[in-house]
């Protein structure tokens, strides 16, 4: 079974996901083709995949593909308790079992900055996996809490074995790191945004965010000796020159790359040109020899600090 979350959802893009999950095929094919693996995968999708998205953020393809009807029971639209809050996470939690059904389950966790759409913006993702180990207990409490929160939004759609097994999984730690933590921001007061709720004054911080707000950047700047800021031209232009002057090290996504697909010398004949922009959210904190990387869906904005999931 797979559980995935997204802010916005393109129904055409999710037609391809079951083929990738169930048949290990790449996703570079036309979803309007009638293929045996596509049909078989889609008929299984409603039993094996649960999708959560922000209410009202579903894009219906034109022309409509009737195969999408197989997904109807498994898309859960999350309505937040305030217009200023958004359901914003982009994660995958996938449970694999051996074909013969024997042995322990394997869990794969993916945290990304990309929505379930056909966007070609630049994003980041991290993935890790681990087997269920009965000698382990009380691991991954934040993931369990996130699953409970999602289960409450969908009235019990998440398989019970997820709750029983996730606390017994030791996820692999990426090479070069010594610890892996999970931060389901906003599901309760227990989980604050680790970027904006830090009291430490850092030696250096890097902020990569396509959407930024002056108050948030100013707050981050006050808690660091040297700040590096990467964002889009549109959002950087909304920050006052005085604050930009204090930061110094500022970078914007290349305008050339934004429009590159529209250039005849670069474009591909069978692809509709699309704008590309920065969509990744990536933060680094450095204090002495200690360095922390944060990858997820939180922008450097007030909603990401005070209400979004």
């Amino acid at each position: 079974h797979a559980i995935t979350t997204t802010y916005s959802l393109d129904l055409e893009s999710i037609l391809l996901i079951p083929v990738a999950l169930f048949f290990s095929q790449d996703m570079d094919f036309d979803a309007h083709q009638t293929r045996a693996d596509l049909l078989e995968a889609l008929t299984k999708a409603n039993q094996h995949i649960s999708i959560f998205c922000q209410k009202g953020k579903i894009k219906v393809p034109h022309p409509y593909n009737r195969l999408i009807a197989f997904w109807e029971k498994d898309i859960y639209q999350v309505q937040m308790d305030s217009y200023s809050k958004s359901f914003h996470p982009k994660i995958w939690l996938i449970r694999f079992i051996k074909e013969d059904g024997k042995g322990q389950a394997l869990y794969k966790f993916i945290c990304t900055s990309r929505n379930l759409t056909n966007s070609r913006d630049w994003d980041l993702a991290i993935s890790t996996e681990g087997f269920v180990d009965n000698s382990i207990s009380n691991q991954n409490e934040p993931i369990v809490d996130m699953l409970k929160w999602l289960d409450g939004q969908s009235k019990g759609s998440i398989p019970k074995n997820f709750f029983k097994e996730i606390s017994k999984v030791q996820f692999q730690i990426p090479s070069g790191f010594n610890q892996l933590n999970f931060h389901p921001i906003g599901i309760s007061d227990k989980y604050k945004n680790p970027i904006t709720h830090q009291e430490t004054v850092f030696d250096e911080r890097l902020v990569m965010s396509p959407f930024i707000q002056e108050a948030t950047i100013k707050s981050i700047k006050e808690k660091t000796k040297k700040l590096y800021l990467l964002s889009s031209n549109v959002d950087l232009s909304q920050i006052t020159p005085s604050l930009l002057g204090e930061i110094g090290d500022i970078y914007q996504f290349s305008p050339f790359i934004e429009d590159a697909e529209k250039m005849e010398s670069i474009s591909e004949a069978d692809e509709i040109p699309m704008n590309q922009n920065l969509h990744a959210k990536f933060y680094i904190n450095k204090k002495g020899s200690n360095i922390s990387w944060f990858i997820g869906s939180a922008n450097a904005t007030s909603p990401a600090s005070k209400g979004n999931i």
Side-chain angles (χ1 to χ4, degrees), residues 184-226:
I185 301 168
I187 63 170
S188 71
D189 291 338
K190 179 180 176 180
Y191 295 107
K192 305 289 187 182
N193 186 321
I195 305 302
T196 55
H197 286 80
Q198 294 271 11
E199 296 302 323
T200 305
V201 176
F202 295 96
D203 297 331
E204 295 180 84
R205 302 183 85 176
L206 178 145
V207 173
M208 178 190 292
S209 176
F211 305 105
I212 57 177
Q213 289 181 344
E214 174 134 351
T216 305
I217 297 301
K218 186 175 182 180
S219 174
I220 293 173
K221 173 67 178 67
E222 290 171 350
K223 297 174 184 175
T224 183
K225 297 175 183 176
K226 186 170 183 61

Side-chain angles (χ1 to χ4, degrees), residues 101-162:
K102 298 178 181 179
Q104 298 287 19
L106 171 74
Y107 279 86
K108 187 178 187 74
F109 182 90
I110 305 170
C111 184
T112 177
S113 56
R114 170 156 291 191
N115 290 296
L116 282 176
T117 69
N118 290 322
S119 167
R120 291 200 280 272
D121 287 344
W122 289 33
D123 284 281
L124 277 172
I126 180 173
S127 67
T128 180
E129 58 189 43
F131 283 97
V132 175
D133 186 340
N134 289 321
S135 67
I136 298 173
S137 62
N138 301 321
Q139 292 274 0
N140 310 313
E141 182 182 359
I143 300 180
V144 175
D145 289 344
M146 181 68 173
L147 289 175
K148 290 178 180 177
W149 191 91
L150 291 172
D151 207 45
Q153 307 302 308
S154 58
K155 299 180 180 178
S157 70
I158 296 177
K160 301 303 180 207
N161 47 18
F162 274 69

Side-chain angles (χ1 to χ4, degrees), residues 48 101 140 162 182 217 241 245 248-249 268 280-281 285:
H48 297 290
N140 310 313
F162 274 69
F182 303 95
I217 297 301
D249 286 276
E268 299 178 37
K281 302 94 165 74
N285 292 340

